[in-house]
Amino acid sequence: MQQNRSHVTERQGLYELDAGSDVLDSPRYNHDIAPTKVHERTWNKWHITALWIGMSVCVPTYTLGGVLTAYFGLTVGEALLAILLANVIVLIPLTLNAFAGTKYGIPFPVLLRSSFGVIGSNIPCLIRALVACGWFGIQTMFGGLAIHLFLGSVFEGWKSLGGTGEVIGFMMFWTLNLWVVLRGAESIKWLETLSAPLLVAVGLGLLVWAMPNVSLTELLAQPPKRPEGASVTGYFLAGLTAMVGFWATLSLNIPDFSRYAKSQKDQILGQIFGLPLTMFLFASLGVVMTAASAKLVGVTVSDPVSLIGHIQSPVWVAFAMALIIIATLSTNTAANIVSPTNDFQNLAPKLINRTKAVMLTGLVGLALMGHELLKKLGLIVSNVSLETVYSNWLLGYSSLLGPIAGIMVVDYFLIKKQQLDLAGLYRDDVYPAWNWNGFIAFGVPVVLTLLSLGSDAFSWFYSYGWFTGSALGGLMYYGLCAMRTSPSVVKSPV
């Protein structure tokens, strides 16, 4: 006989929900976004380290150094320092927002119900989901190109397909991504654990290939592309903000993964081991490879897929492309599909299960890349480049997501004191439908960011959007909550 009321038990700091009919029959609950059981939390620090290596070693990371030197006017040394420092900084919201996922086994959209309301959580969820779908499309474009080049190295006739071959490769890679995620979290853990050592090996191999053809002294001595005599501070901070923005998305939805961690120690150490150094080293590799490309293949090439495509040996091209396909797959599945899958389910858990949410994610990503795919098929002509869209996003979306990160941290650690009503997060009678404190604290920094775009005096508010947004959002949320007559702290029933 099914019990009426849910019960929460605690095992060595990890909370588990024994769901009763009050939760099972709730419109806010389904099996896929339910809290993980303690025995399902099997990821240790090395699994989480592998997760971050798998997500960090990707084509966009490879091009970060070039983005900072070309678009932000930094020297190579300044660019690499900005990348390292940004990833140390972003560890703070990553590890803090992971705490609730590890303790309660809940995904990102369910945690947001505490700070934005049970229904209101859908607004920041959809903002996060749309960005992830865009990145899913961009990464799938890179993966599809790798499949196209792989098939072209194996079958001579494939090369003649040109852009049509790239579109076919896109659809093949698109299908492969969705298949991995549909198989569940253990499938993703297996993929990341397998790919991490392979990705480290291919990075070292590329470095050995490039080093004889580049002078590090000359590379570091290249003058910056900014006005002569201009202060480095403004350019560096703008670049730093953009690099923080690179993982601004994961700093929000890290509970989607930390809900599978064995302990807080595992999630903390795994992220420290896996993120900053991997990002720095692979971005450094991209700078070195781009500088060496002129001697290696006769033309300067800024992305590894195109660079390897210039190699004359079909065997080496096929081998390298296979590894790039694995690298892009490991990044895309974890970083860009898991979150929107959970976010879309949060809209209507009883109507949208994981399978439907994964397919919805895939279709939105496909639609967002429709323009680029039509260009490759020769059906439209356009000068809009994927690289321009990618670089402009870094600042733009980090400005929107910063306040959400600040609100989440303040809500969990300062307002709720790390105590949530686990069953109440899946019902309508504990947390409000809309938490207007969260929306005010989110809306004010966003409005100020948009207004700053038209003001030279306040342009810094946009340029440093993630920092200004997260700080102001967190402070406003704390102030609004403190103005209540009684603090909103809910104890977990044990």
Side-chain angles (χ1 to χ4, degrees), residues 94-114:
L94 275 167
T95 53
L96 291 177
N97 279 331
F99 264 75
T102 302
K103 181 176 180 177
Y104 291 103
I106 52 176
F108 164 65
V110 174
L111 176 59
L112 272 186
R113 294 173 181 178
S114 172

Side-chain angles (χ1 to χ4, degrees), residues 434-447:
W434 298 83
N435 185 346
W436 295 111
N437 288 343
F439 282 97
I440 294 170
F442 170 64
V444 170
V446 169
V447 169

Side-chain angles (χ1 to χ4, degrees), residues 5 72 108 121 124 134 177 191 227 231 236 238 255 263 301 313 342 354 366 371 386 428 449 451 461 489:
R5 298 294 296 179
F72 291 89
F108 164 65
S121 62
N177 277 266
L191 173 65
S231 171
F236 184 83
S263 68
V301 183
S313 169
N342 289 335
R354 185 176 65 190
L366 180 63
H371 176 271
L386 198 61
D428 290 320
T449 299
L451 291 176
F461 197 92
V489 179

Side-chain angles (χ1 to χ4, degrees), residues 390-403:
Y390 154 56
S391 59
N392 288 338
W393 261 15
L394 289 175
L395 265 180
Y397 81 67
S398 68
S399 299
L400 288 177
L401 300 182

